[in-house]
Every structure is written in structure tokens, then in C-alpha cells.
Amino acid sequence: DVELRDRRVISRCRRIHADETPWRQHGRLRWLWVVLSSSTAIFHIGSRAADEIRDLIGDAFLGWLVSDGYAAYRSFKKRQRCLAHLIRKGVALASGLNPVGVNFGDWLVGAVRGLIQEVDEGVSGRIIKQWPVRLKRACKLHRDDEAEKVRALAREILNDWTAITAFVTNPDLPATNNEAERALRDAVIAPRISNGTRTKEG
């Protein structure tokens, strides 16, 4: 069984990437999942339940998982969360009308980008460690903010803190999940042309 063989390959990897995107099938909303390593990619159409990703990766997987912030991934202890998603949320806040949100979002974008850059450039550990300290402090200051979106983002970062900062002490981990997002890009574009699997052409 090819799929079973690929899952066994995935389960032995030190690092894998995972992502999911909406997918229409027979008029129903389904989800297209991708799990990939440096040599193997598995695509799967199913529900968005946490069991789907568990079945794809398997209980034997002990490596690092790079993913977005979707709750289904949070049961994996060794995880790096995609910081590009946080940057997008920060940009959205910074372009809003709430002054606190604008300031927090703008600062967050600069802080996260600065952290990624300094880790990538191999700046001294002492300097790198200052960024997470500042980021956590800013989130603690805003976790009870009156503005719902500001409060939600600050708490989201604090609640997923270990996964957000894992790459700081693990140089082999990427700060983003671009590999999985690129793997899904064609599948995201295709339904706009073929109408997904709702048609014979799709």
C-alpha cells in the first residue's frame, strides 16, 4: 500500500510540515490536507477533525511538526508555529481603526520580523533572547485589553508560546510553514478554474 508506506516514511522524519485548506467535494465542504517531509508528500481529502492529522502522521511520529495555529496541531508537543500567520494578524491590526490595536499590531510585526532576521543571521544569543522577552511582556500588557482583537491576539500568542519560539533554540526549525503552503498552492488555485471535485472536469 503506497499510502501506508509514505506514512511510515513520514513517521520516521525528524521534521515535517502540515497544512490544510477548504475543498469542495460533491457539494460538501471538505478539507485538503498535506503532510510533507524533504522526500515525501501526502495529500488527503477529509474532514477538519483532529483525527485526520493524527491518522496521517501516526502515533509513532516523534519529530518536529511545523504548522499554523489550528487547534488540531496543538496536541503535538514538538511543534514550530508559522510566524508568517502572526505577522499577517499583526498587519491586520495595524491597518485597523483602534489606536491601541494599530500600535500593538505595528510593534508586533516589527518584533516578529526582527526576531526572525536575527535568528537567521546568527546574531549572538544574548541579543536574540531580548526579542522573546519583549514580545511576551507586550502580550501580557494587552491580554486584558478592552479591544477584542487586541486581547485575542495577545492571548493567542501567550497560549501557544512554546511553539511560537521553538525555532529560537532549534536552528534547524524554520520560522514559517512556507513549504506546506507552497505544496497546497496549486490545489488552492485549481478549484477556481475547475470548480474542485464538484464537476467531471474537476
Side-chain angles (χ1 to χ4, degrees):
D1 185 280
V2 175
E3 186 175 343
L4 179 59
R5 183 199 65 197
D6 289 343
R7 290 183 184 184
R8 286 173 178 166
V9 171
I10 290 288
S11 69
R12 293 193 294 266
C13 292
R14 294 178 58 189
R15 186 187 88 205
I16 61 174
H17 295 251
D19 200 5
E20 80 291 334
T21 190
W23 187 265
R24 290 279 178 183
Q25 188 174 50
H26 304 302
R28 292 189 303 158
L29 176 60
R30 306 288 283 170
W31 292 83
L32 174 63
W33 296 81
V34 64
V35 176
L36 70 156
S37 67
S38 58
S39 62
T40 303
I42 299 175
F43 292 88
H44 171 76
I45 297 174
S47 71
R48 208 184 182 204
D51 289 345
E52 298 283 357
I53 191 65
R54 273 288 176 191
D55 291 343
L56 285 173
I57 296 176
D59 294 329
F61 176 67
L62 299 175
W64 284 93
L65 172 65
V66 183
S67 72
D68 59 25
Y70 179 42
Y73 301 117
R74 293 195 176 190
S75 60
F76 293 89
K77 293 182 179 179
K78 296 172 66 175
R79 183 169 60 92
Q80 171 61 48
R81 179 168 169 176
C82 179
L83 298 191
H85 286 76
L86 290 182
I87 290 175
R88 290 172 203 153
K89 290 184 177 184
V91 169
L93 268 184
S95 61
L97 299 176
N98 182 287
V100 176
V102 170
N103 290 335
F104 179 55
D106 190 53
W107 184 89
L108 177 66
V109 170
V112 175
R113 284 177 174 166
L115 177 59
I116 293 172
Q117 182 177 352
E118 293 195 353
V119 170
D120 187 55
E121 293 176 354
V123 178
S124 74
R126 182 181 59 80
I127 295 176
I128 290 175
K129 288 178 181 177
Q130 293 175 5
W131 282 108
V133 170
R134 293 170 184 166
L135 179 58
K136 180 174 276 191
R137 184 186 302 126
C139 290
K140 285 182 176 179
L141 287 172
H142 289 89
R143 64 183 170 189
D144 296 317
D145 196 273
E146 292 181 359
E148 181 182 354
K149 291 183 178 179
V150 174
R151 182 172 67 247
L153 183 54
R155 291 183 179 184
E156 179 182 345
I157 293 171
L158 292 173
N159 290 338
D160 215 11
W161 182 256
T162 302
I164 287 171
T165 57
F167 80 110
V168 174
T169 53
N170 295 272
D172 293 335
L173 293 176
T176 69
N177 196 25
N178 285 342
E179 290 188 35
E181 291 185 2
R182 283 198 299 268
L184 284 177
R185 187 163 297 156
D186 287 344
V188 171
I189 295 172
R192 300 173 186 171
I193 302 170
S194 70
N195 208 23
T197 47
R198 287 181 288 180
T199 66
K200 183 177 179 180
E201 293 79 10

